[in-house]
Amino acid sequence: MARAELGAAGEAGVTVDMDAPIRWRSARAAVLAAVFVCAACGLVYELALVALGSYLIGDTVGQASIVLGVMVFAMGVGALAAKPLQSRAAAVFAAIELALALLGGLSVLGLYAAFAWLNLYLPALVGTAFVLGLLIGAEIPLLMVLLQRIRQQAAGSAVADLFAADYVGALLGGLAFPFLLLPLFGQLKGALVVGAVNAVAGLVLVFTVFRRELSGRARTALTAGSVLVALCLGYAWLTAHDFEVTARQQLYRDPVVHAERSRYQEIVLTDSVAAPGGQTDLRLFLNGDLQFSSLDEYRYHEALVHPALAGPRGEVLLLGAGDGLAVRELLRYPDIRRITVVDLDSAVVALARTEPRLRQLNGGSLDDPRVRVLHADAFRWLRSTTEQFDVVIADLPDPDETATAKLYSVEFYTLVRNALAVEGRLVVQAGSPYFAPRSYWSIEASLREAGFATTPYHVDIPSFGDWGFLLAAPGANPPLLTLPSGAPTLRFLDASTLAAAEVFPPDRGRVNVPASTLLYPRVLDYARAEWRGY
């Protein structure tokens, strides 16, 4: 009966039986399979931390830099820390997989709790990323030792086999996270599933191929640890929904009446009956950012929509605004033939069409026969469309994330200009000239560099404060800020309000800042700096 003797790093006198029950080829395949699974789990942990940070904080690039930088550094530390543990490689590897399963599986839950209750998200993120990286870094040296104990081979060949399985496993984890785990389980339960897979992969390898290397005490400890990890992950799974509901409510002032996580963002609807005058206050939040309050949203949407319609308006393009409130204002003009809505997130549109409170607010506007809704990225859609529009309304999320900053760039506004018909107009919601003046005037500079003449204006919206818009038209002549002919009676906007909206006080006058481009998204830097602390 063939046996492979342990190397110098192994435990003296211990052998691995390669004929019963598993021959050395099968044992080697089992180790490489464990490498494959562990690599997939490790990458999922990294992606889960990045995704959670982008949802909660909004800074995708910053969160990715912190997580990846800390984890890669910690992996190097973990690899060095594993050197003195190689004599007990099998037991230590199993213990590491149990620790990874527990910490990785509960990482999203713990970080969400740190964000919701403790206001310690960044320290908790760095600590979690470091410990996860430390454990992941220790895996490869230990697996290398186990692979060599099965059958000695040249170091280069062993490294090639190990890293091939590791990199292919990372590919699986990278694809499984956005396309399988998030859609099926969500972030919290998805991390728990990966933690369980991580534990099973490590324990199966050690308790089958390397079971002879485990002392009785090690087997007992690992069995007890497995039970403990299974109980913790199982309890977290059973209570995940209640935990998420409680933690989410902690983040919002009013009762949460609807919450879901779409492919792109977290969508939350709150409702309060304690608003001034006894009115209900329905609020929509996307990734924690307020989109509207039903108490004053009419101010925002009247200021956004109506001034842009003072001219040809048969064909209107609305970028964003899947809540249907801007569409409601547009439908008040019977001479508008068609409204095309391009909104990336179908979940927002579905909510606006089906949620009774939101549908009552938007008047069922998205189901009007004049309205066409397309679910696409506005930038990509504008690159491919050949349609021409009399009016383009850009009601897009603020440029405080990498994904949205491109929608405020010179290149984006150039695409919009190409989609405008003769005498066409563009209006852009541009943030607050009071709280974020550099962001506001950078957007205005980007419009001018794209070939537009602009008319800046701003109004007071209690939920947002002083809020700014930019009315623009191709060419050198700024468009007049006026109400259109045939305008309906409005609750907020009239001629005198519009005249006052063009006036900027001396302490909030024009700021000379450069335009924002795809390669240099200055508006992103401005927005992050100016909105910090608000």
Side-chain angles (χ1 to χ4, degrees):
M1 183 176 292
R3 294 175 181 269
E5 300 295 334
L6 292 175
E11 296 172 334
V14 181
T15 59
V16 181
D17 193 332
M18 289 301 129
D19 285 334
I22 303 174
R23 296 182 180 276
W24 72 265
R25 291 185 185 275
S26 299
R28 184 172 172 275
V31 172
L32 294 178
V35 175
F36 177 88
V37 174
C38 292
C41 293
L43 192 63
V44 169
Y45 297 144
E46 292 182 29
L47 294 175
L49 298 189
V50 172
L52 182 64
S54 67
Y55 282 140
L56 299 180
I57 307 300
D59 181 7
T60 304
V61 174
Q63 295 299 304
S65 300
I66 292 172
V67 170
L68 298 180
V70 171
M71 289 191 75
V72 169
F73 167 73
M75 287 167 66
V77 177
L80 290 174
K83 290 175 68 175
L85 305 175
Q86 293 177 14
S87 61
R88 300 180 298 279
V92 172
F93 174 72
I96 286 174
E97 296 313 294
L98 286 176
L100 267 174
L102 187 63
L103 179 62
L106 299 178
S107 59
V108 173
L109 186 150
L111 288 172
Y112 199 10
F115 181 82
W117 283 290
L118 304 177
N119 198 27
L120 292 173
Y121 181 78
L122 185 58
L125 174 66
V126 171
T128 301
F130 182 83
V131 177
L132 283 174
L134 195 72
L135 296 171
I136 292 170
E139 287 178 322
I140 291 296
L142 296 175
L143 285 166
M144 177 68 76
V145 171
L146 296 177
L147 187 66
Q148 291 289 65
R149 287 181 182 176
I150 294 171
R151 187 188 187 198
Q152 290 288 336
Q153 61 183 124
S157 297
V159 169
D161 291 342
L162 207 66
F163 278 95
D166 184 78
Y167 294 150
V168 176
L171 172 64
L172 174 67
L175 295 176
F177 179 72
F179 299 116
L180 179 64
L181 293 170
L182 281 182
L184 286 180
F185 303 108
Q187 277 196 285
L188 204 157
K189 285 191 172 181
L192 295 173
V193 169
V194 174
V197 171
N198 207 158
V200 169
L203 292 171
V204 167
L205 176 69
V206 170
F207 276 97
T208 55
V209 179
F210 298 100
R211 67 190 182 281
R212 293 177 179 271
E213 291 196 32
L214 300 177
S215 64
R217 181 178 299 177
R219 292 180 187 178
T220 301
L222 290 175
T223 301
S226 302
V227 172
L228 178 62
V229 169
L231 289 174
C232 290
L233 296 181
Y235 179 76
W237 177 277
L238 293 175
T239 60
H241 176 73
D242 292 341
F243 168 83
E244 188 171 4
V245 170
T246 304
R248 182 188 296 120
Q249 185 59 70
Q250 184 71 19
L251 302 176
Y252 298 95
R253 182 193 68 185
D254 300 326
V256 174
V257 295
H258 178 88
E260 64 176 299
R261 192 178 297 281
S262 73
R263 180 180 174 185
Y264 304 102
Q265 57 200 340
E266 184 177 58
I267 305 166
V268 172
L269 204 61
T270 68
D271 197 8
S272 171
V273 296
Q279 304 176 65
T280 60
D281 184 6
L282 186 70
R283 296 185 172 220
L284 175 67
F285 296 85
L286 299 180
N287 282 347
D289 292 332
L290 177 65
Q291 304 303 301
F292 70 78
S293 163
S294 61
L295 295 178
D296 56 22
E297 58 79 17
Y298 66 91
R299 285 184 166 226
Y300 174 92
H301 291 102
E302 288 181 6
L304 172 73
V305 170
H306 295 276
L309 302 179
R313 53 179 183 246
E315 295 281 339
V316 178
L317 172 62
L318 185 56
L319 303 174
D323 53 33
L325 299 176
V327 178
R328 177 199 66 201
E329 296 299 317
L330 290 169
L331 289 173
R332 301 174 74 177
Y333 292 84
D335 55 341
I336 292 180
R337 296 187 300 274
R338 186 174 65 165
I339 302 165
T340 300
V341 180
V342 179
D343 192 285
L344 180 63
D345 199 341
S346 60
V348 174
V349 174
L351 182 67
R353 280 175 163 158
T354 59
E355 210 287 327
R357 285 159 290 208
L358 185 49
R359 185 177 175 84
Q360 180 181 10
L361 193 62
N362 65 36
S365 60
L366 294 173
D367 293 327
D368 188 279
R370 288 187 285 167
V371 177
R372 174 180 62 156
V373 179
L374 305 175
H375 299 299
D377 176 84
F379 196 101
R380 292 181 181 177
W381 187 83
L382 284 169
R383 290 188 67 184
S384 61
T385 188
T386 57
E387 298 181 58
Q388 295 282 291
F389 299 91
D390 299 304
V391 178
V392 176
I393 299 173
D395 188 16
L396 297 162
D398 295 336
D400 54 3
E401 296 185 27
T402 306
T404 55
K406 69 178 183 181
L407 305 178
Y408 293 82
S409 64
V410 174
E411 293 87 346
F412 180 75
Y413 294 134
T414 301
L415 294 174
V416 173
R417 189 190 65 199
N418 294 336
L420 277 174
V422 177
E423 298 183 36
R425 285 182 163 202
L426 163 68
V427 65
V428 177
Q429 85 80 16
S432 173
Y434 181 85
F435 295 106
R438 289 188 299 167
S439 302
Y440 179 83
W441 293 107
S442 178
I443 296 170
E444 194 266 349
S446 299
L447 283 166
R448 286 190 285 108
E449 191 164 317
F452 287 94
T454 65
T455 301
Y457 64 106
H458 62 124
V459 297
D460 179 60
I461 302 167
S463 296
F464 293 158
D466 184 50
W467 208 256
F469 305 87
L470 293 162
L471 184 63
N477 299 317
L480 294 177
L481 190 65
T482 181
L483 287 175
S485 60
T489 301
L490 304 178
R491 297 172 62 186
F492 168 63
L493 211 59
D494 58 18
S496 59
T497 305
L498 274 180
E502 286 193 76
V503 178
F504 287 79
D507 65 341
R508 282 299 178 266
R510 179 183 294 275
V511 178
N512 292 319
V513 289
S516 185
T517 66
L518 290 179
L519 294 181
Y520 196 164
R522 295 180 177 90
V523 70
L524 176 63
D525 297 330
Y526 296 149
R528 286 176 178 170
E530 291 175 322
W531 284 109
R532 186 178 294 125
Y534 288 108

